[in-house]
Amino acid sequence: MPPQIYHLIAFLVAAVVVLWTTPDVKNIGIKSGRVDQPGDRKVHQHPMVRLGGVSIFAGTIISLIIVWRLGGFANLPTEKEWQILGVTLGGLGFFLIGLADDLLNLSPLARLLMQVIVAVGAWKAGVSIDFISIPTIGIVDLDWLSLPITVVWLVGMVNAINWIDGLDGLAAGVSGIAAVVMLVVSLFMRQPAAALIAAALAGAALGFLRYNFNPAQIFMGDGGSYFMGFTLAAVGVIGLVKIPAFTAVLLPYLILAVPIVDMSVVILARLCRGKLPWAADKRHLHHRLLNAGLSHRLTVLFIYSLTLWVGSLALAIAGIPSGITYACGATSLLSYATWRVWKLSRQS
């Protein structure tokens, strides 16, 4: 069987499982009363089930198990096996933290402590940033700095994806686009195992959009956003950061630039105002676009175009054939979207 078939199977199985199970998860949530009530910072007007992450997690894991049984992960070196195990168990850990928060409403400090513990476990299993590659200097071994830098990256991305999950379809779409780009780049960089995980996550995220795009029928909740955030960050580590090339190390940060920049700007703004970094407000990019007069859907589509644009830049930097062509096309799309945003904001 050609290796690329496994990636197609991973994508399709994950998407089918999510499409199949999400209505059942929604019904269970309604019957159990596990719904997200409308509020000052929330856009939805009616109570919504927020357990969609159960389907996203199930779709991804079932897909990977099937691919593993078919031989998609065969002949991996021991080091890679540990990394795949670290991504899988770490994803489970972050999913359970998020699910517990969805069900029990944990405090921010309790969530952060548990996130750090799971991230340390993933680092121990080999999901670790061990070096950085600097132009003109070469490879710099991080030594003891590997642990804190890895934990900050993993926990940071978990919360970055969680924080952009403020509009119907936003986090699922951004994560799905980023996962597809990571799939393509990982394959080009000859990292098939990382690409399989990216393919499964892409299928789950994009399949979930069937029920989550505006008007949403169900939310993914913290369980879904935590799981997707960690998996994207971990795939970036095992598939790209461990390659001793400056461009490879740079790619995960570029692919995930939209949630990273959004979170960084919001945290800086809160600190400058003397507030805690996790103090909720309406300073995220999607809030600003809504305040500028954009519709719910156009706001989401504009952020999709941003994510697609940085992803296309990653393809070009990675040296993928026709990568520059993709980047030019995405730049044209973003330019049109930006013009539309400017025009609508002037009219409001």
Side-chain angles (χ1 to χ4, degrees):
M1 185 182 296
Q4 291 78 9
I5 295 297
Y6 292 117
H7 300 87
L8 180 60
I9 292 173
F11 180 92
L12 293 177
V13 169
V16 168
V17 170
V18 171
L19 290 169
W20 181 37
T21 60
T22 300
D24 293 330
V25 171
K26 177 185 174 183
N27 291 333
I28 292 172
I30 292 173
K31 292 178 181 179
S32 63
R34 302 295 182 180
V35 296
D36 189 24
Q37 299 292 342
D40 293 337
R41 293 185 60 255
K42 298 173 182 178
V43 178
H44 62 284
Q45 304 298 319
H46 307 285
M48 295 285 291
V49 175
R50 52 176 300 171
L51 298 177
V54 174
S55 293
I56 294 173
F57 174 78
T60 305
I61 296 301
I62 290 173
S63 171
L64 293 176
I65 290 174
I66 289 175
V67 169
W68 172 69
R69 293 298 299 270
L70 292 174
F73 290 99
N75 302 319
L76 286 178
T78 303
E79 177 186 358
K80 284 293 182 183
E81 289 180 350
W82 276 104
Q83 291 173 8
I84 299 301
L85 182 63
V87 174
T88 304
L89 295 181
L92 171 62
F94 275 100
F95 166 70
L96 292 176
I97 295 170
L99 183 62
D101 187 42
D102 290 330
L103 299 176
L104 305 174
N105 195 22
L106 304 175
S107 70
L109 287 178
R111 293 198 304 266
L112 181 61
L113 177 60
M114 288 187 284
Q115 289 171 5
V116 169
I117 292 173
V118 174
V120 170
W123 172 84
K124 189 70 174 177
V127 185
S128 57
I129 302 173
D130 300 316
F131 59 83
I132 56 175
S133 182
I134 303 176
T136 72
I137 295 178
I139 296 176
V140 178
D141 191 352
L142 293 176
D143 198 17
W144 63 271
L145 287 173
S146 170
L147 176 57
I149 289 176
T150 301
V151 169
V152 168
W153 167 246
L154 296 177
V155 173
M157 275 313 308
V158 164
N159 289 284
I161 296 297
N162 179 250
W163 285 9
I164 67 167
D165 187 25
L167 296 181
D168 296 353
L170 183 53
V174 168
S175 298
I177 293 170
V180 169
V181 175
M182 281 196 175
L183 163 63
V184 174
V185 175
S186 296
L187 284 174
F188 184 73
M189 295 290 184
R190 294 182 176 84
Q191 300 293 322
L196 281 169
I197 300 176
L201 185 67
L206 297 178
F208 187 66
L209 280 178
R210 162 67 178 79
Y211 305 102
N212 187 236
F213 194 72
N214 181 259
Q217 303 175 40
I218 186 173
F219 293 160
M220 69 174 65
D222 288 352
S225 61
Y226 282 13
F227 173 71
M228 291 199 301
F230 169 79
T231 305
L232 286 170
V235 169
V237 171
I238 69 170
L240 301 175
V241 173
K242 288 186 177 293
I243 299 174
F246 174 71
T247 53
V249 173
L250 177 67
L251 292 177
Y253 312 107
L254 182 57
I255 294 169
L256 297 168
V258 172
I260 291 173
V261 171
D262 180 63
M263 182 178 70
S264 301
V265 170
V266 168
I267 288 177
L268 286 174
R270 290 171 182 172
L271 292 175
C272 290
R273 297 172 62 213
K275 293 188 174 182
L276 293 172
W278 53 79
D281 56 28
K282 288 191 173 183
R283 292 180 172 271
H284 291 285
L285 175 60
H286 55 272
H287 290 134
R288 296 177 184 273
L289 291 171
L290 289 173
N291 292 336
L294 271 67
S295 67
H296 190 127
R297 284 195 173 191
L298 186 55
T299 296
V300 171
L301 292 173
F302 177 74
I303 298 176
Y304 283 178
S305 69
L306 273 176
T307 307
L308 187 62
W309 178 64
V310 295
S312 71
L313 294 181
L315 296 179
I317 291 173
I320 290 174
S322 301
I324 295 178
T325 302
Y326 299 144
C328 291
T331 301
S332 299
L333 176 63
L334 179 61
S335 299
Y336 172 74
T338 302
W339 174 77
R340 288 279 295 168
V341 168
W342 175 80
K343 185 177 179 180
L344 289 171
S345 64
R346 289 288 297 271
Q347 294 174 352
S348 62

